[in-house]
Amino acid sequence: MTFDPLATLHPKSKHWIVCVRVSRKWEYRGGTDDGPIAHIDLVLADEKGDAIYAEIPSSEVDVISPLIEEGGIYIISRFRVSRAKSLYRPIDAPYMIEFTCYTKVYPAKNLPETFPRYVYNLTPFAELPKYAGENKYFLDVLGIISEVSDTTLLQLPNQSAATLNRNIILKDLSNVEIKLTLWGQRAAEFTIDEVYNEEQGKPIVVLIVGNLMKSFAGEEYLSGNTACRWYFNPAIPEAEEFYNSTHNQRLTIKRTAAPPHQTARLQGSLQLEDKHLLDLETMDPYDFPEGGCRCTVTITRLILTTPWWFPSCNRCNRACTPSGDGYKCNTCSCTGYRFKYKLSFIANDGTAEAEMIAFREVARRIVGKPVQQVLRLARFANDTPPPDIAAIVSLKFAFAVALTEQSYYNPKRTYQITSIVASYGRQHTVPHIKLNQPKQLPICQTADPIL
């Protein structure tokens, strides 16, 4: 079969067939780690080394995304070629690929491993400042790691909860330094433990792609979020000069610890004891950890017998009851109220299923929209859950949970979600509880793709 080189693609034709490696794949959630997926972004490279940006829209994520893995080589057809975006471009190319409901994807077989592993366009450290705040291109850099900080928590204006971040200091061959700040999941994933031995002290050269240049309070720095990837000691020509200049040299990488109050806060949310639901369901309630625990579950169905919202007292935050044309708090007699979330659902982790409940801000992060916005779109608040509420089914999270007070009086337990530790997005299979031989039940079936 003959494939079209990426360099020849243009919008005037619709009958392209390409064979490409997926160099990078990431989710764009509108600037947050836990919002709904707006689209999935890809960097694709063909055998000649040319690259292009591609986008899977939210409407096609459930069908197409499971067919594509980062690093895989695929034959893709029936897509649209359009002009590249003007901002946040990982590739300096005039066109991009748009996946549609008609796009066909299947793995390529029996092909030589000559497709490039890395797709990059290096920017020298001295030129980085001119891109500060521009947000037109994602930037790629190559340097030596000289310092790595622990993760810390930082409250950002566009985030409802504090976000993980980690700082890394890079040096070029002229000893020019640049700070890279990783955010969210990227901050949690970054580690040099597997490639750095303190006793040997061998320098680590790192290629980091998909960064934006930022400026804050007079300081210019690189920012790495979901689009960011890194490769330690890459086998690329530009790295050879770094390897030659550091040959037989010893470099101590400075480790910067998080402030004590930050460490305690992280331990409270990220370092809780992991428990399976089966462990929690069979545990004596009086043995439940006082600080709560962490469990990773998939939301499998909603509990439709309870409303997904409630009127909350402005003064004491308790639930209000109907009074005349409005609501009134029976505790403090306040008539001021705001609608807030009260999500009840069944979650499953493959060992058991359990009832969980989430209120207010935690529930908002699960849904991804303010309750007032969802209420405006719902015909009747007590009617069938609106699409935004129904859409939480099949989402997977790591939750910090506590046992509700009623669970001490009732054999049927309910776990209140106190915080979201991690979000894993929509799952295409749900855990099936079978103790002897765990299996996966598909949420949706997808036919084998054909050209």
Side-chain angles (χ1 to χ4, degrees):
M1 182 181 294
T2 301
F3 303 114
D4 298 300
L6 292 180
T8 65
L9 268 56
H10 58 76
K12 294 183 180 180
S13 176
K14 302 179 180 63
H15 301 287
W16 306 105
I17 302 177
V18 298
C19 184
V20 292
R21 182 194 291 276
V22 180
S23 176
R24 284 173 255 160
K25 176 185 178 183
W26 69 93
E27 297 174 351
Y28 177 69
R29 295 176 176 267
T32 67
D33 282 339
D34 53 9
I37 296 176
H39 46 78
I40 288 182
D41 301 331
L42 308 165
V43 172
L44 309 177
D46 64 13
E47 192 173 9
K48 294 185 177 181
D50 293 313
I52 195 169
Y53 165 75
E55 183 177 293
I56 304 173
S58 58
S59 59
E60 306 306 323
V61 164
D62 290 348
V63 175
I64 296 178
S65 182
L67 305 176
I68 299 176
E69 295 183 0
E70 190 169 282
I73 300 176
Y74 301 92
I75 297 172
I76 307 174
S77 63
R78 301 186 185 183
F79 52 84
R80 300 303 301 272
V81 177
S82 60
R83 292 207 170 271
K85 295 180 177 181
S86 59
L87 297 175
Y88 303 105
R89 295 168 61 173
I91 298 296
D92 184 11
Y95 303 119
M96 61 177 280
I97 286 175
E98 292 181 291
F99 287 72
T100 75
C101 59
Y102 299 105
T103 299
K104 302 299 179 184
V105 179
Y106 69 91
K109 298 179 180 179
N110 303 320
L111 290 174
E113 285 291 328
T114 54
F115 289 78
R117 180 182 176 190
Y118 311 109
V119 174
Y120 60 94
N121 181 23
L122 296 180
T123 300
F125 285 14
E127 296 181 14
L128 289 172
K130 71 180 183 181
Y131 295 100
E134 184 181 79
N135 293 340
K136 181 177 182 180
Y137 295 107
F138 285 106
L139 303 172
D140 310 329
V141 295
L142 183 70
I144 296 174
I145 299 175
S146 64
E147 183 176 336
V148 177
S149 77
D150 287 344
T151 53
T152 59
L153 287 165
L154 182 65
Q155 184 68 54
L156 299 175
N158 65 330
Q159 299 276 2
S160 59
T163 302
L164 279 177
N165 72 97
R166 185 195 300 273
N167 292 322
I168 301 160
I169 305 298
L170 305 174
K171 286 185 177 181
D172 65 9
L173 291 171
S174 300
N175 286 325
V176 175
E177 291 187 343
I178 189 69
K179 183 176 80 172
L180 166 68
T181 300
L182 297 176
W183 301 96
Q185 187 178 354
R186 291 293 176 261
E189 292 173 345
F190 187 91
T191 177
I192 60 172
D193 293 341
E194 295 182 2
V195 294
Y196 181 69
N197 184 314
E198 284 195 33
E199 293 183 359
Q200 297 177 354
K202 291 184 178 180
I204 299 175
V205 178
V206 61
L207 169 66
I208 305 184
V209 298
N211 311 286
L212 293 172
M213 195 66 191
K214 301 289 186 179
S215 179
F216 179 75
E219 180 186 23
E220 293 167 335
Y221 65 97
L222 287 170
S223 178
N225 212 310
T226 54
C228 179
R229 294 290 186 277
W230 52 84
Y231 311 98
F232 296 119
N233 300 320
I236 59 176
E238 295 88 344
E240 290 299 324
E241 192 174 356
F242 282 86
Y243 301 143
N244 294 333
S245 68
T246 59
H247 185 63
N248 293 329
Q249 290 186 12
R250 190 178 187 282
L251 176 67
T252 300
I253 297 178
K254 183 179 178 182
R255 306 284 190 121
T256 306
H261 70 280
Q262 287 275 11
T263 302
R265 189 175 178 186
L266 282 170
Q267 288 175 343
S269 61
L270 296 176
Q271 299 180 5
L272 296 173
E273 184 178 3
D274 280 298
K275 292 286 187 182
H276 291 300
L277 289 182
L278 182 61
D279 298 328
L280 299 182
E281 289 289 279
T282 56
M283 183 187 298
D284 188 308
Y286 288 89
D287 293 332
F288 198 90
E290 290 187 8
C293 59
R294 182 170 67 178
C295 56
T296 301
V297 298
T298 300
I299 300 173
T300 55
R301 65 184 186 274
L302 301 174
I303 297 176
L304 302 178
T305 55
T306 58
W308 52 269
W309 61 275
F310 74 102
S312 173
C313 175
N314 289 342
R315 184 179 299 168
C316 67
N317 290 324
R318 293 180 181 273
C320 298
T321 56
S323 176
D325 295 333
Y327 295 89
K328 181 179 179 180
C329 178
N330 293 330
T331 302
C332 66
S333 299
C334 177
T335 57
Y337 64 92
R338 292 187 63 189
F339 291 118
K340 296 184 179 179
Y341 279 117
K342 178 186 177 183
L343 294 179
S344 297
F345 53 81
I346 301 299
N348 188 324
D349 69 349
T351 68
E353 65 176 21
E355 181 175 329
M356 294 188 173
I357 190 167
F359 293 94
R360 302 177 179 88
E361 186 59 28
V362 172
R364 188 208 67 78
R365 294 183 63 199
I366 294 174
V367 177
K369 293 182 179 179
V371 67
Q372 289 80 8
Q373 181 178 346
V374 179
L375 278 170
R376 283 197 299 268
L377 300 176
R379 290 180 56 198
F380 302 102
N382 290 322
D383 202 355
T384 302
D388 290 309
I389 302 300
I392 72 172
V393 173
S394 80
L395 295 180
K396 182 179 178 181
F397 296 93
F399 291 133
V401 299
L403 199 60
T404 61
E405 190 66 25
Q406 292 80 0
S407 298
Y408 289 89
Y409 301 92
N410 192 327
K412 184 175 175 57
R413 303 179 186 183
T414 303
Y415 303 92
Q416 181 173 341
I417 301 166
T418 58
S419 67
I420 298 174
V421 180
S423 172
Y424 301 100
R426 191 167 305 282
Q427 304 300 295
H428 303 284
T429 57
V430 295
H432 175 57
I433 302 171
K434 190 172 182 181
L435 297 180
N436 294 331
Q437 189 177 359
K439 294 182 179 179
Q440 295 285 318
L441 290 180
I443 290 176
C444 59
Q445 296 282 350
T446 303
D448 292 337
I450 59 174
L451 286 179

